[in-house]
Amino acid sequence: MGAKANKHGEIEIPVRLEIALLALILIVAAGLRLVALGDIPPGLQHDEVFHAHDAFTVLEHGNRALYFESNAGNEPLFVYLVAGTMALFGYNAVGIRMAAALCGLLTVVFVYLWGRAAWGARVGLLAAALSAVTFWPVFLSRVGLRAASLPVCVALTGWLFARALKNLGALSWVPAGAALGLTMYTYLAARVVPGVYALLFVLMLFAHRPGAHIGIRQTWRGWLLFAAAALVVAAPLALYLLSTPGAEARTAQLTGPLDALRAGDPGPVLEGALRTLGMFTFGGDPVGRYNVAGRPVFDWMVGLLFYTGLALSVWRWRDPQYAAPVLGLAVALFPSAVTPTPPSFLRAGAALPAAMLLPALGAAAIWDRLKGRRRWAAVGITAGLAAISGVLTVRDYFTVWPTAPDVIAVYRADLAEAAAWLEAERPDRPVVIGTSEPHHLDPFIFDYTPHGEADIRWVDGLQALTLPGARAIYISPATTPLNPRLTKIFFGDAAGAPVGELPDGAPAFTLYDLDASAALNARLTGAQTNPVYVSGAAAFESADPAGWAVRLDYPANLGGRLDFAGYVHAGAIESGGVLGLELYFRPTQDAAGVEPLAIFAHLLTRDGRLATGRDFLAAPARDWRAGEVFVQLHDLWIDPAAVPPGAYVLEIGVYSQADMRRFAVLGPDGEPLGDRLLLAPVIVE
């Protein structure tokens, strides 16, 4: 049986048709969220693998944290969801993102239930349809970020609250309060959601019309239970955060506009508010990794329905059912308005359910004002608009968005292709991969991307190269290619092979399959003609250690862990230029695990003061193999303001960042000679 108008002139939908339509909406929603889930986005981004790593500790180490402090702090709900989906679907992109997909599907369901409980099946179904096909909720449902868990909890709270308002039974308010408390465990932006219900309480207390709408007189017991349930559920997390100063390091990263406001400049906050208010039809999230940059939430046709629903809800503001989505929208947009790069689809996530309900309310209001064929024509047009939104989402999400340079870079599509190649080819020789985050972040990506049993050495491709001493595979990713200076020295004229394909059609990486031993030996022969010394002097007789320090033979042993095998530098550099410095090291033992080490290179004045220097390690100790050489480009910028012309002592060495202790320079019998090596002097001209 089809839909028909009731005695009030409103469209009624028979239960069987309602169920069928809801099933169709959920099938479409599932398709948009599950098709190619492991392939689009075209790789894993670092925040996704941080959540995966936390979930790994839940599964493998029994971690039951109330708050995960990695990556500047993360609320726990999504991490536990990821742990569940990884247990079911594996330690891979699908296992990570399936948690977001489930959150997205449940958001569709709870938006439907909220709309149905407050305004009937027609509003619930249309809001669910928009939730199913609009780009914003589709994106949040396909990326493994904890922001995906915020809309579902907000929608759940909204549904249970609307149901409690209709039911009037005091106990029906308890699950609504518990859902609000659960929302605090999702994402930082959830902290504003209780403000929605606080404002709604004030509105019902002072602004309702007796006899026209439900008020506090009928619901005060429910409100008490609602607040109590929310406090009980949220209390463990709140107590933990209050008792752990510094746990939420992320908040300090987002305070720029508010800092400006406190300093007397309201400009950034006002601009953020205007941009955020315009996100629905004028300009959406400008950050390409989260949106087709600038794409608004709605096209203009659905946007007109959104503004109609908003106007209707404001007009009926004394009715708490209508006031709830308006307040939900206004309050939930606040985190986007007062933080950098507004509007932010992530930080505005709590507004998503209300944003889907308002166009449905607007459409229903239009239907009610029309009669006969015009009404059914309007219903058909509305359904067509939802379908067009779905088509535009398919086009933009699956074909346009993945080809954006920011998406390819942030989601490391090149590393995903490299892993797929390694998984398929399974090479039997060492693999060296250049990247910008070799210590943790990019290796984390491979922890959750199948790549065979490859024996990998990660390096900062711009500043280092590991040379295994025999034939090896060197992978130069498109986003973080190996330094041409290094490839010229060690690969000569060998042409790398372009491999894989990025979403924009470009090669994913360049592959070199060669033996660089001859080039390395030739380079070391020249590098070892440069003298190396040791001395514990705090001040120096001259910049050249030859007259007052002990000269060492190569290799110079550092801490029994690695040998210093030589260096190359020009000796003289103009002020304002960059001193090119190549440092060669050969580990004497395999790495025992992750260790925070740093190599330092400092220019010192004759009285021992630091003029300039850099401390870093571009070839992580985790990947050291005994006998293999790595070269680090330890270039130094000669700042004219800090390094005036003159002769300088150049010292180098290695230390642990855990305790800041330097590796000792060891003599032939293992005796400590000092804690630094001195190289040929540098003349700044």
Side-chain angles (χ1 to χ4, degrees):
M1 181 181 294
K4 61 182 181 180
N6 62 20
K7 63 181 181 181
H8 302 293
E10 298 173 343
I11 295 175
E12 276 193 350
I13 302 175
V15 174
R16 289 185 180 179
L17 179 59
E18 181 182 354
I19 293 173
L21 290 173
L22 179 60
L24 176 62
I25 290 168
L26 290 175
I27 290 170
V28 172
L32 290 174
R33 284 153 179 79
L34 299 178
V35 169
L37 182 61
D39 299 319
I40 304 175
L44 288 168
Q45 63 146 295
H46 295 148
D47 285 341
E48 290 183 287
V49 295
F50 267 116
H51 291 329
H53 181 68
D54 287 338
F56 175 86
T57 68
V58 171
L59 293 171
E60 303 295 337
H61 303 299
N63 187 1
R64 298 296 182 266
L66 268 174
Y67 188 83
F68 293 87
E69 296 186 24
S70 63
N71 195 27
N74 295 286
E75 293 78 9
L77 179 60
F78 190 72
V79 171
Y80 287 108
L81 292 175
V82 172
T85 55
M86 287 202 323
L88 291 172
F89 298 98
Y91 292 12
N92 51 47
V94 171
I96 297 168
R97 292 172 179 164
M98 188 60 72
L102 293 175
C103 286
L105 286 171
L106 286 174
T107 299
V108 175
V109 172
F110 292 141
V111 165
Y112 158 75
L113 291 172
W114 183 357
R116 191 182 196 282
W119 302 284
R122 55 190 184 148
V123 172
L125 288 171
L126 182 54
L130 291 173
S131 300
V133 302
T134 302
F135 186 99
W136 181 17
V138 168
F139 166 79
L140 279 180
S141 303
R142 295 183 59 95
V143 63
L145 301 178
R146 73 191 196 283
S149 63
L150 176 55
V152 63
C153 288
V154 170
L156 172 63
T157 305
W159 164 49
L160 293 173
F161 186 85
R163 184 169 164 267
L165 283 176
K166 285 286 185 73
N167 187 21
L168 297 184
L171 290 179
S172 65
W173 292 70
V174 172
L180 178 61
L182 182 65
T183 303
M184 300 301 102
Y185 291 79
T186 60
Y187 186 52
L188 185 61
R191 310 297 168 78
V192 303
V193 177
V196 175
Y197 294 93
L199 290 174
L200 196 58
F201 175 83
V202 172
L203 182 146
M204 291 178 65
L205 184 62
F206 295 108
H208 83 285
R209 292 175 178 171
H213 305 295
I214 189 172
I216 294 299
R217 184 183 298 275
Q218 302 100 313
T219 59
W220 67 270
R221 292 182 181 85
W223 274 106
L224 287 176
L225 291 171
F226 175 79
L231 288 171
V232 167
V233 173
L237 178 61
L239 291 173
Y240 174 83
L241 293 175
L242 289 172
S243 63
T244 313
E248 292 189 290
R250 189 176 301 275
T251 56
Q253 303 170 1
L254 302 171
T255 59
L258 290 176
D259 290 341
L261 181 63
R262 283 191 287 267
D265 179 12
V269 169
L270 292 175
E271 181 182 359
L274 289 174
R275 289 182 180 276
T276 298
L277 290 173
M279 66 184 266
F280 297 101
T281 54
F282 292 97
D285 196 323
V287 180
R289 71 186 70 179
Y290 303 132
N291 187 29
V292 175
R295 185 190 195 275
V297 175
F298 301 122
D299 61 74
W300 266 103
M301 295 303 292
V302 177
L304 289 174
L305 295 178
F306 168 80
Y307 292 122
T308 301
L310 180 60
L312 174 69
S313 298
V314 171
W315 180 259
R316 299 179 177 176
W317 63 278
R318 293 179 185 274
D319 184 341
Q321 297 286 25
Y322 283 92
V326 174
L327 293 174
L329 192 74
V331 173
L333 292 178
F334 181 79
S336 170
V338 300
T339 52
T341 63
S344 167
F345 279 0
L346 295 189
R347 295 190 289 276
L352 190 152
M356 299 300 115
L357 285 165
L358 289 173
L361 284 171
I366 293 172
W367 299 344
D368 290 344
R369 295 184 65 86
L370 299 174
K371 305 293 182 182
R373 292 181 179 179
R374 290 184 178 180
R375 169 181 291 175
W376 296 111
V379 172
I381 291 171
T382 304
L385 292 176
I388 291 171
S389 291
V391 171
L392 293 176
T393 292
V394 169
R395 181 199 67 183
D396 290 347
Y397 185 84
F398 290 96
T399 64
V400 176
W401 181 71
T403 65
D406 194 24
V407 174
I408 291 171
V410 170
Y411 290 90
R412 294 313 307 260
D414 50 358
L415 290 185
E417 287 287 304
W421 185 88
L422 291 170
E423 173 75 4
E425 299 297 327
R426 296 184 175 266
D428 59 357
R429 47 201 177 278
V431 176
V432 180
I433 302 178
T435 184
S436 60
E437 300 285 352
H439 291 275
H440 304 290
L441 298 182
D442 289 336
F444 274 3
I445 290 175
F446 264 42
D447 288 343
Y448 302 97
T449 308
H451 57 277
E453 301 297 327
D455 184 16
I456 298 174
R457 292 95 167 114
W458 294 89
V459 295
D460 181 334
L462 287 178
Q463 302 182 100
L465 188 65
T466 295
L467 300 147
R471 185 180 174 190
I473 289 172
Y474 300 87
I475 291 177
S476 180
T479 303
T480 54
L482 296 174
N483 193 318
R485 181 169 145 201
L486 292 172
T487 58
K488 182 64 177 177
I489 293 172
F490 298 106
F491 302 164
D493 296 326
V499 180
E501 185 176 347
L502 297 174
D504 63 359
F509 60 94
T510 301
L511 184 142
Y512 300 88
D513 187 356
L514 48 80
D515 185 345
S517 299
L520 172 62
N521 291 334
R523 196 67 173 178
L524 286 177
T525 298
Q528 291 180 358
T529 62
N530 296 316
V532 60
Y533 307 89
V534 64
S535 171
F540 316 115
E541 298 175 15
S542 66
D544 188 352
W548 46 267
V550 176
R551 182 165 180 171
L552 301 176
D553 294 328
Y554 285 104
N557 188 267
L558 296 170
R561 298 282 304 279
L562 74 166
D563 289 335
F564 179 60
Y567 67 97
V568 176
H569 75 69
I573 182 69
E574 290 187 2
S575 180
V578 175
L579 175 69
L581 177 60
E582 297 172 30
L583 303 176
Y584 291 84
F585 297 89
R586 180 183 287 111
T588 58
Q589 55 187 257
D590 290 346
V594 176
E595 190 172 0
L597 303 180
I599 294 170
F600 64 88
H602 300 156
L603 286 187
L604 305 177
T605 61
R606 286 183 57 188
D607 59 1
R609 290 184 295 106
L610 176 67
T612 189
R614 294 174 68 201
D615 299 18
F616 67 97
L617 178 62
R622 175 199 60 243
D623 295 332
W624 289 356
R625 308 290 195 279
E628 296 184 354
V629 172
F630 69 87
V631 54
Q632 178 159 303
L633 299 181
H634 213 113
D635 299 348
L636 300 176
W637 177 54
I638 308 302
D639 181 0
V643 189
Y648 293 86
V649 175
L650 176 56
E651 68 168 7
I652 69 158
V654 181
Y655 65 89
S656 169
Q657 296 182 73
D659 58 13
M660 305 306 291
R661 294 181 62 181
R662 292 182 175 184
F663 283 18
V665 178
L666 301 181
D669 298 323
E671 71 279 14
L673 303 176
D675 61 5
R676 64 182 176 183
L677 296 170
L678 303 178
L679 310 185
V682 173
I683 308 301
V684 176
E685 300 173 341

